[in-house]
PDB file of all heavy atoms in Angstrom:
ATOM      1  N   PHE A 417     -66.620 -20.674 173.785  1.00  0.00           N
ATOM      2  CA  PHE A 417     -66.641 -19.295 173.309  1.00  0.00           C
ATOM      3  C   PHE A 417     -65.954 -18.358 174.304  1.00  0.00           C
ATOM      4  O   PHE A 417     -66.190 -18.450 175.513  1.00  0.00           O
ATOM      5  CB  PHE A 417     -68.087 -18.840 173.086  1.00  0.00           C
ATOM      6  CG  PHE A 417     -68.820 -19.635 172.037  1.00  0.00           C
ATOM      7  CD1 PHE A 417     -69.574 -20.754 172.380  1.00  0.00           C
ATOM      8  CD2 PHE A 417     -68.739 -19.269 170.708  1.00  0.00           C
ATOM      9  CE1 PHE A 417     -70.245 -21.481 171.415  1.00  0.00           C
ATOM     10  CE2 PHE A 417     -69.399 -20.000 169.728  1.00  0.00           C
ATOM     11  CZ  PHE A 417     -70.156 -21.108 170.081  1.00  0.00           C
ATOM     12  N   LYS A 418     -65.136 -17.458 173.756  1.00  0.00           N
ATOM     13  CA  LYS A 418     -64.473 -16.444 174.586  1.00  0.00           C
ATOM     14  C   LYS A 418     -65.294 -15.161 174.639  1.00  0.00           C
ATOM     15  O   LYS A 418     -65.316 -14.460 175.653  1.00  0.00           O
ATOM     16  CB  LYS A 418     -63.081 -16.143 174.038  1.00  0.00           C
ATOM     17  CG  LYS A 418     -62.125 -17.323 174.085  1.00  0.00           C
ATOM     18  CD  LYS A 418     -60.781 -16.948 173.480  1.00  0.00           C
ATOM     19  CE  LYS A 418     -59.840 -18.149 173.493  1.00  0.00           C
ATOM     20  NZ  LYS A 418     -58.520 -17.805 172.861  1.00  0.00           N
ATOM     21  N   ASP A 419     -65.924 -14.821 173.526  1.00  0.00           N
ATOM     22  CA  ASP A 419     -66.725 -13.584 173.465  1.00  0.00           C
ATOM     23  C   ASP A 419     -68.162 -13.899 173.889  1.00  0.00           C
ATOM     24  O   ASP A 419     -68.929 -14.524 173.126  1.00  0.00           O
ATOM     25  CB  ASP A 419     -66.699 -13.012 172.053  1.00  0.00           C
ATOM     26  CG  ASP A 419     -65.303 -12.564 171.660  1.00  0.00           C
ATOM     27  OD1 ASP A 419     -64.732 -11.737 172.384  1.00  0.00           O
ATOM     28  OD2 ASP A 419     -64.787 -13.059 170.638  1.00  0.00           O
ATOM     29  N   VAL A 420     -68.489 -13.479 175.079  1.00  0.00           N
ATOM     30  CA  VAL A 420     -69.793 -13.788 175.668  1.00  0.00           C
ATOM     31  C   VAL A 420     -70.431 -12.490 176.172  1.00  0.00           C
ATOM     32  O   VAL A 420     -69.782 -11.716 176.881  1.00  0.00           O
ATOM     33  CB  VAL A 420     -69.655 -14.794 176.832  1.00  0.00           C
ATOM     34  CG1 VAL A 420     -71.021 -15.059 177.463  1.00  0.00           C
ATOM     35  CG2 VAL A 420     -69.025 -16.097 176.337  1.00  0.00           C
ATOM     36  N   VAL A 421     -71.702 -12.270 175.794  1.00  0.00           N
ATOM     37  CA  VAL A 421     -72.439 -11.070 176.220  1.00  0.00           C
ATOM     38  C   VAL A 421     -73.710 -11.516 176.937  1.00  0.00           C
ATOM     39  O   VAL A 421     -74.474 -12.333 176.395  1.00  0.00           O
ATOM     40  CB  VAL A 421     -72.806 -10.181 175.017  1.00  0.00           C
ATOM     41  CG1 VAL A 421     -73.518  -8.917 175.484  1.00  0.00           C
ATOM     42  CG2 VAL A 421     -71.565  -9.836 174.202  1.00  0.00           C
ATOM     43  N   LYS A 422     -73.940 -10.997 178.120  1.00  0.00           N
ATOM     44  CA  LYS A 422     -75.133 -11.361 178.883  1.00  0.00           C
ATOM     45  C   LYS A 422     -76.346 -10.568 178.399  1.00  0.00           C
ATOM     46  O   LYS A 422     -76.238  -9.397 178.042  1.00  0.00           O
ATOM     47  CB  LYS A 422     -74.922 -11.092 180.380  1.00  0.00           C
ATOM     48  CG  LYS A 422     -73.910 -12.011 181.044  1.00  0.00           C
ATOM     49  CD  LYS A 422     -73.869 -11.787 182.556  1.00  0.00           C
ATOM     50  CE  LYS A 422     -75.158 -12.245 183.212  1.00  0.00           C
ATOM     51  NZ  LYS A 422     -75.075 -12.176 184.703  1.00  0.00           N
ATOM     52  N   PHE A 423     -77.502 -11.230 178.405  1.00  0.00           N
ATOM     53  CA  PHE A 423     -78.762 -10.543 178.110  1.00  0.00           C
ATOM     54  C   PHE A 423     -79.163  -9.692 179.314  1.00  0.00           C
ATOM     55  O   PHE A 423     -79.052 -10.125 180.477  1.00  0.00           O
ATOM     56  CB  PHE A 423     -79.871 -11.551 177.804  1.00  0.00           C
ATOM     57  CG  PHE A 423     -79.857 -12.047 176.387  1.00  0.00           C
ATOM     58  CD1 PHE A 423     -78.997 -13.068 175.995  1.00  0.00           C
ATOM     59  CD2 PHE A 423     -80.699 -11.483 175.439  1.00  0.00           C
ATOM     60  CE1 PHE A 423     -78.972 -13.526 174.688  1.00  0.00           C
ATOM     61  CE2 PHE A 423     -80.689 -11.938 174.126  1.00  0.00           C
ATOM     62  CZ  PHE A 423     -79.816 -12.960 173.750  1.00  0.00           C
ATOM     63  N   HIS A 424     -79.645  -8.483 179.030  1.00  0.00           N
ATOM     64  CA  HIS A 424     -80.152  -7.600 180.085  1.00  0.00           C
ATOM     65  C   HIS A 424     -81.605  -7.289 179.780  1.00  0.00           C
ATOM     66  O   HIS A 424     -81.929  -6.672 178.767  1.00  0.00           O
ATOM     67  CB  HIS A 424     -79.337  -6.317 180.139  1.00  0.00           C
ATOM     68  CG  HIS A 424     -79.845  -5.327 181.154  1.00  0.00           C
ATOM     69  ND1 HIS A 424     -79.827  -5.584 182.509  1.00  0.00           N
ATOM     70  CD2 HIS A 424     -80.402  -4.104 180.998  1.00  0.00           C
ATOM     71  CE1 HIS A 424     -80.331  -4.554 183.148  1.00  0.00           C
ATOM     72  NE2 HIS A 424     -80.703  -3.644 182.258  1.00  0.00           N
ATOM     73  N   LYS A 425     -82.489  -7.770 180.645  1.00  0.00           N
ATOM     74  CA  LYS A 425     -83.932  -7.611 180.445  1.00  0.00           C
ATOM     75  C   LYS A 425     -84.359  -8.108 179.063  1.00  0.00           C
ATOM     76  O   LYS A 425     -85.203  -7.517 178.391  1.00  0.00           O
ATOM     77  CB  LYS A 425     -84.359  -6.154 180.649  1.00  0.00           C
ATOM     78  CG  LYS A 425     -84.169  -5.660 182.069  1.00  0.00           C
ATOM     79  CD  LYS A 425     -84.701  -4.250 182.241  1.00  0.00           C
ATOM     80  CE  LYS A 425     -84.563  -3.789 183.691  1.00  0.00           C
ATOM     81  NZ  LYS A 425     -85.064  -2.402 183.872  1.00  0.00           N
ATOM     82  N   GLY A 426     -83.757  -9.218 178.656  1.00  0.00           N
ATOM     83  CA  GLY A 426     -84.146  -9.854 177.399  1.00  0.00           C
ATOM     84  C   GLY A 426     -83.523  -9.255 176.162  1.00  0.00           C
ATOM     85  O   GLY A 426     -83.899  -9.635 175.045  1.00  0.00           O
ATOM     86  N   LEU A 427     -82.569  -8.355 176.313  1.00  0.00           N
ATOM     87  CA  LEU A 427     -82.025  -7.637 175.160  1.00  0.00           C
ATOM     88  C   LEU A 427     -80.501  -7.701 175.129  1.00  0.00           C
ATOM     89  O   LEU A 427     -79.830  -7.606 176.170  1.00  0.00           O
ATOM     90  CB  LEU A 427     -82.457  -6.168 175.227  1.00  0.00           C
ATOM     91  CG  LEU A 427     -81.997  -5.247 174.086  1.00  0.00           C
ATOM     92  CD1 LEU A 427     -82.704  -5.608 172.789  1.00  0.00           C
ATOM     93  CD2 LEU A 427     -82.256  -3.782 174.451  1.00  0.00           C
ATOM     94  N   VAL A 428     -79.945  -7.848 173.905  1.00  0.00           N
ATOM     95  CA  VAL A 428     -78.525  -7.648 173.640  1.00  0.00           C
ATOM     96  C   VAL A 428     -78.411  -6.644 172.497  1.00  0.00           C
ATOM     97  O   VAL A 428     -79.013  -6.851 171.428  1.00  0.00           O
ATOM     98  CB  VAL A 428     -77.804  -8.953 173.259  1.00  0.00           C
ATOM     99  CG1 VAL A 428     -76.470  -8.647 172.581  1.00  0.00           C
ATOM    100  CG2 VAL A 428     -77.570  -9.823 174.476  1.00  0.00           C
TER     101      VAL A 428
END
Side-chain angles (χ1 to χ4, degrees):
F417 298 92
K418 296 178 182 178
D419 295 304
V420 178
V421 182
K422 291 186 68 174
F423 278 82
H424 177 65
K425 295 184 177 179
L427 181 69
V428 162

